[in-house]
Amino acid sequence: MAATLYWVILAIGREPLPGANERFQRPARVELQRPQRLEPVLDDLDAKDLQAIVQQDSRLLPLRVLLDLGENGPTGAGVASFHTETGGDFRWLPLSAASADPSGKRAFEVSARQNTTLTITYAATREQARHGYIDRSVVTVREAADAQKQTVELSAKTYAIRFELPSGVDQAGPLRLQRVADRQWLPMAHATAGLKLRKGEQTALDLGAGTYELQAPLVTDTRQTFVVPEVEVVEVTPALARSAADRR
């Protein structure tokens, strides 16, 4: 009797539940609509107009760079241009590539696509063109309304700035030197690791015109601002000297 009951239960367990086949049936495959060609958009532009727009966006526009050099610059100096946002399309033009301008300045020719934002720099060497430059200008390339080319002017003028310790202090630094309005600039020619001052040693840098800032690297709220060429000697404040001494 028990064996008969076992086989009855097993047979019932093997039977599918009501509606099970309908529930788990594979859905019918739906054919996707085949793509159709869109109707042409009615516009005032024809193929020639469109081609003209593409050529206008891709063609290179000339840019004239005038460098106020004065006397001959250092060997290896020149003008660089590169895209401001990406840093790409870097081009270096040594002083030998310049032509004489009626104003007495050196003239360089660069080019870029319309609406490109370019950074133009003058530097003592190619290696310093991106960050250790003497002068810099950022310009968006436009097509001039008249026959004159778009012009950028740079100055190669530098000023010897001497740094001195305050009275009673034997040394200070390393101090960070920055341009206030241009944080991309770095003093690559000298003191890349920081400006160090020691009693009895003369420290001077050739700097282009602008507003500069001395800053203690670990005490960022301690800073000293000076303007070139309004000053020739920068005496480090006692606060900066103490900040440096506290780290030793």
Side-chain angles (χ1 to χ4, degrees):
M1 181 69 180
T4 303
L5 182 61
Y6 170 78
W7 288 109
V8 170
I9 295 175
L10 183 61
I12 295 175
R14 288 179 178 176
E15 292 181 0
L17 295 176
N21 292 335
E22 291 79 3
R23 181 181 302 175
F24 296 102
Q25 283 183 352
R26 182 175 299 177
R29 183 175 179 179
V30 179
E31 293 290 337
L32 297 178
Q33 186 178 1
R34 294 184 177 275
Q36 299 178 358
R37 186 180 298 274
L38 296 176
E39 295 294 330
V41 178
L42 298 179
D43 203 340
D44 294 333
L45 294 178
D46 57 18
K48 292 183 179 180
D49 294 331
L50 182 59
Q51 184 178 7
I53 293 176
V54 173
Q55 290 178 349
Q56 182 178 4
D57 291 338
S58 61
R59 67 190 177 92
L60 298 177
L61 296 179
L63 187 71
R64 188 174 181 84
V65 181
L66 294 180
L67 175 65
D68 187 1
L69 186 62
E71 299 179 357
N72 291 330
T75 303
V79 168
S81 69
F82 50 90
H83 290 188
T84 302
E85 295 182 359
T86 66
D89 199 19
F90 178 88
R91 298 179 183 180
W92 174 255
L93 300 173
L95 293 180
S96 59
S99 59
D101 187 75
S103 64
K105 300 176 181 179
R106 304 287 184 92
F108 298 83
E109 298 289 339
V110 299
S111 61
R113 289 182 173 85
Q114 186 171 0
N115 298 324
T116 299
T117 302
L118 280 185
T119 296
I120 314 292
T121 65
Y122 167 74
T125 65
R126 180 190 179 101
E127 291 72 24
Q128 298 172 19
R130 291 186 183 273
H131 297 286
Y133 41 81
I134 295 170
D135 197 9
R136 181 191 77 151
S137 179
V138 178
V139 60
T140 300
V141 179
R142 308 286 189 192
E143 187 168 13
D146 51 20
Q148 298 295 326
K149 295 179 181 178
Q150 189 175 5
T151 302
V152 174
E153 296 195 17
L154 298 176
S155 175
K157 179 67 175 177
T158 59
Y159 305 86
I161 307 300
R162 192 170 73 253
F163 297 86
E164 294 184 351
L165 290 166
S167 178
V169 177
D170 292 336
Q171 59 181 350
L175 299 174
R176 182 182 301 157
L177 178 63
Q178 292 185 317
R179 275 182 173 174
V180 173
D182 182 10
R183 299 300 183 180
Q184 296 295 323
W185 179 85
L186 295 173
M188 296 180 63
H190 306 283
T192 54
L195 192 64
K196 297 181 181 180
L197 306 179
R198 290 181 175 82
K199 188 176 181 179
E201 297 181 3
Q202 183 173 343
T203 302
L205 297 179
D206 292 328
L207 301 176
T211 302
Y212 293 82
E213 183 179 83
L214 280 175
Q215 185 184 98
L218 301 182
V219 189
T220 56
D221 58 344
T222 304
R223 60 191 67 192
Q224 178 181 356
T225 302
F226 61 95
V227 179
V228 178
E230 294 182 7
V231 299
E232 295 181 359
V233 178
V234 177
E235 183 177 296
V236 176
T237 62
L240 277 177
R242 283 197 300 270
S243 297
D246 291 343
R247 298 197 297 275
R248 291 189 291 270

